Amino acid sequence: MSSTELPETRTAAAPTASRVRAVRVADGEELRSVALPGLSLTVRARPGNRTGLPPALYVHGLGGSSQNWSALMPLLADHVDGEAVDLPGFGDSPPPDDGNYSVTGHARAVIRLLDAAGRGPVHLFGNSMGGAVATRVAAVRPDLVRTLTLVSPALPELRAQRTAWPTALLAVPGVASFFAKLTKDWTAEQRVKGVLSLCYGDPGQVTEEGFRHAVEEMERRLELPYFWDAMARSSRGIVDAYTLGGQHGLWRQAERVLAPTLLVYGGRDRLVSYRMARKAAAAFRGSRLLTLPEAGHVAMMEYPETVAQAVRDLIADDGGS
């Protein structure tokens, strides 16, 4: 696909040079590819239950994909016309031509997607790294964001939890390739169990079917030649964003967000400290806070009904759908 082509649509089963196996598409979802100069993004759509609903865009975290929102999107289909993007180098989106995996680079990809589709302003969602990306988008392009929902956003912490250190170490040059070699004999099942224990408050909540789908997705990702590079560069992008000060610092940008904001934090989050909830609530003006003591890093996957209700309340107070 030429990088100069206009946005187009393809089915999930369409063959591409980079795909080894097909990406899973849940019932009611649609998958398409949007081609922009130097960038190709896969978008997972969950159309609203009726025409005329306002648009929403969901942005995943480090190592995730648009599939991370598949549990939440149908619960909000009566309020929004939802789309979830695979950030460059993740999910089914190939790496960006310029190799830019910084938070700003990912934010620019989201902005270009929204500008190309003319979908703004949207109800914007972000989890973890996607939360940092969404914060930056909302700060620099307020015209594109109607409301902002952040689930465990990756905003700078002075004292990160020890359980988050291994992820941060991926940013160190050579660590990702070393870890890839060190774990080359690990099975996809072992890797998924490790991810679940890190991201879920209670991994036992994952169904057998959900675990099987996660293993299949892990097997697919490990076949991608750029998997570890995307992880390492994006990790480095988060670390760089944490150390950036002045007007471009993420906390300073959080203070500039004008959109009504919902913050969701899990009490068992091993990656983003639960204690950051109070600081975030103070930074985002007029924000509302949902704390889930039993949730981990991906509350929208563990407690989608609870998160969905909080989002419905946010949208209703913003004027409804």
Side-chain angles (χ1 to χ4, degrees):
M1 179 184 297
S2 170
S3 62
T4 59
E5 290 179 331
L6 294 175
E8 63 176 10
T9 301
R10 61 172 168 78
T11 64
T16 64
S18 62
R19 183 185 298 139
V20 177
R21 64 182 75 188
V23 173
R24 180 176 177 273
V25 183
D27 291 340
E29 295 180 346
E30 302 169 357
L31 209 63
R32 76 175 191 277
S33 179
V34 177
L36 300 166
L39 192 66
S40 180
L41 298 172
T42 295
V43 175
R44 182 180 304 269
R46 168 70 69 163
N49 291 343
R50 64 182 187 275
T51 59
L53 291 177
L57 184 68
Y58 303 81
V59 187
H60 64 81
L62 179 69
S65 76
S66 57
Q67 294 185 59
N68 293 161
W69 300 101
S70 289
L72 182 64
M73 286 198 291
L75 300 179
L76 293 175
D78 57 340
H79 280 66
V80 299
D81 183 50
E83 291 189 346
V85 62
D86 284 333
L87 292 173
F90 293 93
D92 201 37
S93 292
D97 286 359
D98 62 3
N100 187 346
Y101 288 99
S102 66
V103 170
T104 296
H106 286 313
R108 187 177 298 120
V110 170
I111 290 171
R112 291 179 61 193
L113 173 66
L114 291 174
D115 279 341
R119 279 175 58 85
V122 299
H123 295 288
L124 185 62
F125 296 72
N127 169 236
S128 192
M129 179 183 74
V133 170
T135 297
R136 185 149 290 175
V137 172
V140 303
R141 287 293 304 273
D143 59 303
L144 293 178
V145 183
R146 182 168 174 177
T147 67
L148 181 65
T149 296
L150 304 176
V151 182
S152 296
L155 300 175
E157 300 182 39
L158 291 178
R159 294 181 293 109
Q161 300 178 99
R162 289 186 178 182
T163 47
W165 291 359
T167 302
L169 283 174
L170 287 175
V172 178
V175 169
S177 58
F178 172 75
F179 185 75
K181 294 177 181 177
L182 184 68
T183 63
K184 63 181 178 63
D185 293 328
W186 288 13
T187 66
E189 288 84 356
Q190 289 174 311
R191 295 176 190 273
V192 168
K193 287 180 180 179
V195 171
L196 294 180
S197 66
L198 185 64
C199 293
Y200 274 69
D202 178 14
Q205 291 189 21
V206 180
T207 64
E208 291 185 9
E209 181 183 31
F211 181 78
R212 186 178 71 254
H213 290 157
V215 169
E216 292 172 353
E217 174 63 13
M218 178 63 72
E219 291 172 341
R220 187 193 70 82
R221 292 183 189 184
L222 291 171
E223 293 172 345
L224 299 173
Y226 52 82
F227 172 78
W228 286 110
D229 186 59
M231 287 288 291
R233 290 174 182 259
S234 291
S235 296
R236 199 169 304 142
I238 296 174
V239 172
D240 289 345
Y242 274 30
T243 59
L244 194 64
Q247 294 297 320
H248 299 292
L250 283 170
W251 284 116
R252 184 68 64 85
Q253 290 192 322
E255 296 171 352
R256 289 165 48 193
V257 171
L258 301 177
T261 301
L262 169 65
L263 301 166
V264 183
Y265 280 82
R268 294 185 176 181
D269 196 330
R270 295 162 61 84
L271 292 171
V272 170
S273 299
Y274 187 62
R275 65 174 183 269
M276 300 305 294
R278 182 176 297 180
K279 180 175 182 178
F284 290 89
R285 66 183 76 181
S287 61
R288 56 186 69 191
L289 176 63
L290 172 64
T291 57
L292 300 171
E294 302 302 315
H297 191 59
V298 287
M300 73 287 186
M301 300 173 72
E302 287 187 273
Y303 297 94
E305 294 86 359
T306 305
V307 174
Q309 184 56 57
V311 173
R312 292 190 198 100
D313 293 341
L314 177 71
I315 293 175
D317 290 345
D318 182 56
S321 56

